[in-house]
Amino acid sequence: MLEIKNLHAEAAGKKILKGLNLTLRKGEVHAIMGPNGSGKSTLAQVLAGRDAYEITAGSITYLGQDLLDLEPEERAREGVFLAFQYPVEIPGVNSTYFLKAALNELRKHRGLPELDAIDFLQLVKEKMKILELPQSLLNRPVNEGFSGGEKKRNEIFQMAVLEPRLAVLDETDSGLDIDALRIVAEGVNKLKGPENAQLVITHYQRLLDYIVPDFVHVLYDGKIIRTGDKSLALDLEERGYDWLLEAYEKNGRRAESVPA
Amino acid sequence: MSTSTETIEQFVNREYQYGFVTDLEADAAPRGLTEDTVRLISSKKGEPEFLLEWRLKAYRYWLTLKEPEWPNVHYPKIDYQNVIYYSAPKQKKDGPKSLADVDPKLLETYKKLGIPLREHEKLAGVAVDAVFDSVSVATTFKGKLKEMGIIFGSFSEAVHEHPELIKKYLGSVVPYTDNYFAALNSAVFSDGSFCYIPKGVKCPMELSTYFRINAADTGQFERTLIVAEEGSTVSYLEGCTAPRRDTNQLHAAVVEIVAMDNASVKYSTVQNWYPGDEMGRGGIYNFVTKRGLCKGASSKISWTQVETGSAITWKYPSVVLKGDNSVGEFYSVALTNNYQQADTGTKMIHIGKNTRSTIISKGISAGRGQNSYRGQVKILKSAANSRNFSQCDSLLLGDKCGAHTFPYIEVKNTSSTVEHEASTSKIGEDQIFYCRQRGLSTQDAINMIVNGYCKEVFRQLPMEFAVEAQKLLGVSLEGSVG
Ligand SMILES: Nc1ncnc2c1ncn2[C@@H]1O[C@H](COP(=O)(O)OP(=O)(O)OP(=O)(O)O)[C@@H](O)[C@H]1O
Ligand SMILES: [Mg+2]
């Protein structure tokens, strides 16, 4: 469903992604790990269409279309969802109102009737149960004054309402307490289905105890330098990145593996 | 370069949708201003002697004044001798007695503006007085209001039918000596609305005036006077548009409100004069003096304004809180885009005891717009236990615009309190991106954020007006982020 080929991206003259390849098929969950500053969030933002990043080479095909051709909102309407590493606050804009407007844009795009306030609230109630999110948050402006953990939880709540085909979660686990981590991860699992895929960016194995990935990739120097199954995450947890990075540097900064 | 910039470009060229001109024969004064112009206007309207005298005094006083330079706005000197001070659509006889006598072309114009006067007559809800260039064209619902003793109609009509009220209240809140533009208006005002609510009467519908400048190089100088007797209440709406022209047009209005004991007046404006084009050519110079006098105890005057139009706005709707326990309010959204400039705010003058005032000002600057809030809160020694709360927020879209705040606070007693809060924020690329990532267009994202920001003020507007104001803000902001 998603095919990234030889992707090069830069921002403010700095080369960040340098020939990244990645393929996700329907029903799969992929985890991306890698040291700070290796380009994980950049990849997420590029997928969502942030224009601060210039694509200098490569291609991204999503459900048969050229993703790079689409505006950010068109991608969203086509089912691409990004749970932000740092969700922004939008003062004055009520969360429920915001999410209803977003959902109706998606529905319009798909030729579905818009939901009215009553139907929407019904839907919200159901989804809130999954995330065990307090109603009071939804009566407040989007993310305004939310705690770090609340913001992250709210991202997954939005994901639950919008039901994306491709969900990219950028460090959704960081900032969550132990119980919240479990709730959020279980929520994400419930949203998994045969027709959609998830790309989960994380630093920690503990998230992958709940969200079990089909593949684990290590991103470094703007490329995927290693791909494995879930045991790779356990290896990394134990040994850190040094052994991988050393091997990569020895190899003359050439990636030694690509996804199977 | 970037995709969002391109999307933005497409919005920029959205045109001012009220910019059409109606082709009507007009009865106009020659350009320029002399005593003869003043006499001509007065005689065209068949005014009583006292009014002509008042106009002449104002004119002579005006000659001694200099145009104010303190507002934070910049424009080439206005040539007051090149302005046409009176222009009226030619009428068959003296003027329309009822809608049936009004030129169908005029009715058509109002229909285009979304104010079908004919339908208003039938539909309950809002009574409209429409001012076209210099004269009041038609007032709907007059009969129904009359039954309740409410007088609502054109100023010139009131001059004939209720000269004693005009004589008593004209200039009682804004004397012609008040300022340069008030003096000019007093000398040459051509028409406007007059509204009188008798004792104890709660006006059952919104009263509304619609101002429209049509003729070229014409100044519009209307005058509105509202008198609310003891225990009465009224809600008054004002809307304005003008055709797009590449020369500037002058609009210098005066609004006076008097509220007696326990009376309450709510005055709402949605100002959408032609703002000029994206290069800053043309547009209305909007120099307006609006003031309310809370004359009686426990009276209340509330101004709500949504200012999106005009090339230059200079306007400070104020309240003089004379009666004990009286209340003054000012809620404002002022938007400047492209090359628009606005210097607006309010004055709250506390004289009576236990008087309270609230100021909520929301400035929005986009493009190269310059937005200044200028507010004065004055609590006199006599105004024991008085309170003011002011909140002035500025929202910036892009980095070529500006926001400025000039609060003037003066408290002459120790039992009163004044609170002032101010903030400046910016709509960030990351907020817009966040919204777009959830499926909203750039424009919807901006509208949502701006409307959220203005909520406190919109809440004050009558329902239909609030919807209108939101749409207007949306249109005015199209293409404003870059
Ligand atoms: N808009 C930008 N302008 C300039 N440099 C940028 C920009 N975005 C990212 N970078 C730089 O690119 C590199 C990769 O950043 P990115 O945020 O993708 O890392 P990351 O892998 O997500 O790191 P972390 O694990 O800390 O979240 C960093 O060095 C960062 O400073
Ligand atoms: Mg990151």
Side-chain angles (χ1 to χ4, degrees):
Chain A
M1 98 183 290
L2 181 74
E3 194 170 18
I4 304 174
K5 279 191 187 152
N6 189 34
L7 185 66
H8 287 72
E10 55 185 67
K14 177 183 158 79
K15 292 186 167 60
I16 305 171
L17 299 181
K18 306 170 188 171
L20 185 141
N21 294 289
L22 185 63
T23 301
L24 269 73
R25 283 176 298 240
K26 284 181 185 169
E28 288 178 351
V29 176
H30 291 231
I32 293 195
M33 305 182 80
N36 293 133
S38 56
K40 301 181 298 295
S41 292
T42 300
L43 171 62
Q45 301 268 344
V46 164
L47 287 171
R50 183 109 203 192
D51 64 14
Y53 299 96
E54 196 187 340
I55 312 301
T56 50
S59 66
I60 305 179
T61 312
Y62 168 71
L63 294 173
Q65 325 174 57
D66 180 355
L67 190 71
L68 297 175
D69 245 13
L70 303 179
E71 295 290 335
E73 60 269 37
E74 293 171 327
R75 299 181 194 196
R77 292 167 195 168
E78 285 290 324
V80 176
F81 179 91
L82 169 60
F84 287 80
Q85 183 174 4
Y86 305 107
V88 297
E89 302 192 357
I90 311 181
V93 177
N94 175 277
S95 293
T96 310
Y97 178 75
F98 172 79
L99 196 50
K100 175 166 168 270
L103 178 64
N104 279 333
E105 285 296 340
L106 267 53
R107 291 180 64 93
K108 249 194 309 198
H109 181 71
R110 289 164 201 173
L112 297 167
E114 294 185 31
L115 288 189
D116 62 19
I118 296 165
D119 291 343
F120 180 73
L121 285 179
Q122 191 56 42
L123 176 74
V124 159
K125 276 211 189 97
E126 276 166 42
K127 303 293 184 180
M128 247 164 21
K129 270 185 239 144
I130 306 178
L131 273 299
E132 294 177 30
L133 201 72
Q135 169 86 43
S136 61
L137 280 189
L138 286 177
N139 297 333
R140 284 168 46 185
V142 181
N143 290 323
E144 195 182 36
F146 286 22
S147 75
E150 285 169 344
K151 283 182 185 168
K152 293 301 181 68
R153 217 193 271 208
N154 187 38
E155 292 291 286
I156 303 308
F157 169 68
Q158 294 187 8
M159 172 177 162
V161 171
L162 300 176
E163 299 182 325
R165 276 179 276 210
L166 173 66
V168 181
L169 312 186
D170 192 358
E171 292 195 32
T172 299
D173 53 334
S174 58
L176 291 177
D177 65 41
I178 298 165
D179 291 334
L181 178 70
R182 179 181 46 78
I183 293 163
V184 164
E186 281 170 1
V188 171
N189 283 338
K190 282 190 195 135
L191 298 170
K192 190 176 151 181
E195 285 303 308
N196 56 36
Q198 296 173 344
L199 186 62
V200 179
I201 297 170
T202 182
H203 284 294
Y204 304 107
Q205 152 63 26
R206 59 166 194 232
L207 177 71
L208 305 180
D209 284 342
Y210 297 105
I211 303 175
V212 182
D214 300 299
F215 298 96
V216 174
H217 310 277
V218 176
L219 179 54
Y220 178 68
D221 190 31
K223 301 189 252 301
I224 304 285
I225 60 164
R226 175 69 70 108
T227 291
D229 60 14
K230 60 185 182 204
S231 64
L232 176 58
L234 288 166
D235 279 357
L236 292 171
E237 179 92 343
E238 212 167 287
R239 299 165 65 189
Y241 288 111
D242 283 356
W243 59 283
L244 260 183
L245 308 190
E246 272 162 31
Y248 170 74
E249 300 290 346
K250 245 193 224 137
N251 236 329
R253 298 173 79 87
R254 277 198 316 277
E256 64 177 63
S257 67
V258 285
Chain B
M1 167 201 85
S2 62
T3 45
S4 79
T5 318
E6 278 166 35
T7 331
I8 286 157
E9 291 294 315
Q10 296 166 5
F11 296 120
V12 171
N13 298 321
R14 165 104 190 205
E15 284 180 39
Y16 180 73
Q17 59 172 323
Y18 305 105
F20 58 86
V21 179
T22 307
D23 192 12
L24 287 168
E25 245 189 292
D27 181 9
R31 277 169 206 274
L33 181 53
T34 62
E35 265 199 35
D36 287 342
T37 322
V38 177
R39 286 178 195 281
L40 176 79
I41 294 169
S42 189
S43 81
K44 282 249 181 229
K45 310 187 81 63
E47 286 176 352
E49 191 60 25
F50 82 87
L51 200 50
L52 174 62
E53 280 312 311
W54 192 74
R55 284 178 182 277
L56 289 172
K57 272 192 264 176
Y59 171 69
R60 289 174 200 137
Y61 185 74
W62 179 72
L63 289 177
T64 69
L65 298 177
K66 269 218 191 91
E67 202 170 326
E69 280 169 3
W70 51 264
N72 189 23
V73 295
H74 305 279
Y75 54 93
K77 273 256 161 288
I78 297 171
D79 179 359
Y80 290 91
Q81 296 307 335
N82 197 33
V83 173
I84 296 169
Y85 287 86
Y86 183 84
S87 165
K90 268 206 181 117
Q91 299 288 350
K92 290 176 210 116
K93 290 172 255 103
D94 277 337
K97 291 279 175 290
S98 73
L99 279 185
D101 297 337
V102 175
D103 188 331
K105 268 192 200 161
L106 266 184
L107 291 179
E108 193 54 37
T109 303
Y110 279 101
K111 202 163 160 193
K112 266 197 230 172
L113 295 167
I115 314 160
L117 293 172
R118 273 181 200 290
E119 276 139 62
H120 266 301
E121 229 185 4
K122 293 181 207 113
L123 298 167
V126 184
V128 184
D129 182 30
V131 177
F132 197 85
D133 284 336
S134 302
V135 293
S136 186
V137 179
T139 309
T140 57
F141 280 122
K142 216 164 169 179
K144 288 203 184 96
L145 294 168
K146 210 169 171 181
E147 284 166 26
M148 306 186 72
I150 295 171
I151 306 167
F152 174 53
S154 77
F155 199 94
S156 21
E157 216 167 58
V159 166
H160 292 273
E161 289 170 18
H162 309 280
E164 70 299 341
L165 287 174
I166 301 292
K167 202 168 177 177
K168 184 167 173 193
Y169 291 109
L170 177 67
S172 70
V173 184
V174 181
Y176 63 76
T177 51
D178 192 80
N179 68 68
Y180 187 83
F181 299 110
L184 179 63
N185 173 288
S186 303
V188 303
F189 76 91
S190 35
D191 213 335
S193 296
F194 175 73
C195 168
Y196 178 84
I197 317 289
K199 192 169 162 179
V201 171
K202 310 234 174 296
C203 184
M205 62 183 80
E206 312 275 352
L207 299 185
S208 164
T209 304
Y210 209 88
F211 295 111
R212 166 95 183 150
I213 299 179
N214 190 59
D217 295 334
T218 307
Q220 179 150 330
F221 306 92
E222 81 273 350
R223 200 149 180 125
T224 299
L225 176 57
I226 300 173
V227 179
E229 292 285 10
E230 199 181 318
S232 66
T233 59
V234 63
S235 167
Y236 194 93
L237 315 174
E238 176 202 302
C240 358
T241 59
R244 52 183 315 154
R245 297 187 185 281
D246 46 18
T247 53
N248 296 101
Q249 283 171 284
L250 181 61
H251 174 252
V254 171
V255 176
E256 296 180 276
I257 301 175
V258 183
M260 303 303 186
D261 286 1
N262 294 303
S264 161
V265 179
K266 190 176 169 63
Y267 192 107
S268 314
T269 308
V270 172
Q271 185 263 109
N272 184 26
W273 295 118
Y274 177 52
D277 66 12
E278 57 284 357
M279 299 305 296
R281 283 181 301 246
I284 302 290
Y285 289 164
N286 189 32
F287 301 136
V288 175
T289 307
K290 288 183 166 171
R291 191 173 307 147
L293 173 62
C294 282
K295 199 167 178 183
S298 304
S299 55
K300 177 178 174 184
I301 294 177
S302 176
W303 298 101
T304 304
Q305 60 172 22
V306 177
E307 305 275 320
T308 63
S310 297
I312 298 178
T313 298
W314 179 98
K315 181 179 173 188
Y316 315 90
S318 308
V319 184
V320 179
L321 298 143
K322 199 165 168 209
D324 291 348
N325 305 308
S326 58
V327 176
E329 293 175 340
F330 174 74
Y331 300 95
S332 167
V333 168
L335 175 145
T336 52
N337 197 357
N338 296 322
Y339 286 84
Q340 282 177 278
Q341 305 174 56
D343 192 305
T344 181
T346 185
K347 282 194 263 184
M348 293 290 173
I349 315 292
H350 294 250
I351 302 172
K353 288 193 232 4
N354 305 315
T355 46
R356 277 172 294 143
S357 63
T358 304
I359 299 172
I360 308 282
S361 160
K362 303 274 180 178
I364 304 163
S365 319
R368 292 170 188 273
Q370 291 295 327
N371 211 317
S372 301
Y373 167 81
R374 192 180 300 277
Q376 184 183 36
V377 176
K378 200 168 180 176
I379 300 191
L380 302 188
K381 201 156 180 213
S382 54
N385 293 312
S386 294
R387 285 204 315 264
N388 162 268
F389 173 75
S390 304
Q391 185 187 324
C392 307
D393 298 327
S394 309
L395 184 67
L396 302 173
L397 284 82
D399 48 17
K400 293 190 188 78
C401 51
H404 319 272
T405 305
F406 305 97
Y408 307 88
I409 299 169
E410 219 177 299
V411 185
K412 294 278 174 55
N413 66 49
T414 49
S415 57
S416 297
T417 55
V418 171
E419 266 179 274
H420 180 94
E421 288 175 9
S423 78
T424 301
S425 49
K426 216 172 169 170
I427 295 191
E429 276 297 329
D430 50 347
Q431 288 173 323
I432 293 173
F433 182 68
Y434 187 85
C435 294
R436 294 179 79 193
Q437 208 304 301
R438 297 299 185 252
L440 302 168
S441 68
T442 303
Q443 200 58 49
D444 286 345
I446 294 170
N447 288 353
M448 211 181 257
I449 295 169
V450 169
N451 279 316
Y453 167 78
C454 300
K455 223 165 19 196
E456 279 166 281
V457 175
F458 288 165
R459 210 178 277 147
Q460 300 297 328
L461 291 170
M463 188 58 187
E464 320 82 89
F465 237 40
V467 173
E468 192 62 24
Q470 282 192 21
K471 275 194 237 150
L472 194 56
L473 221 55
V475 171
S476 307
L477 274 175
E478 286 195 353
S480 51
V481 170

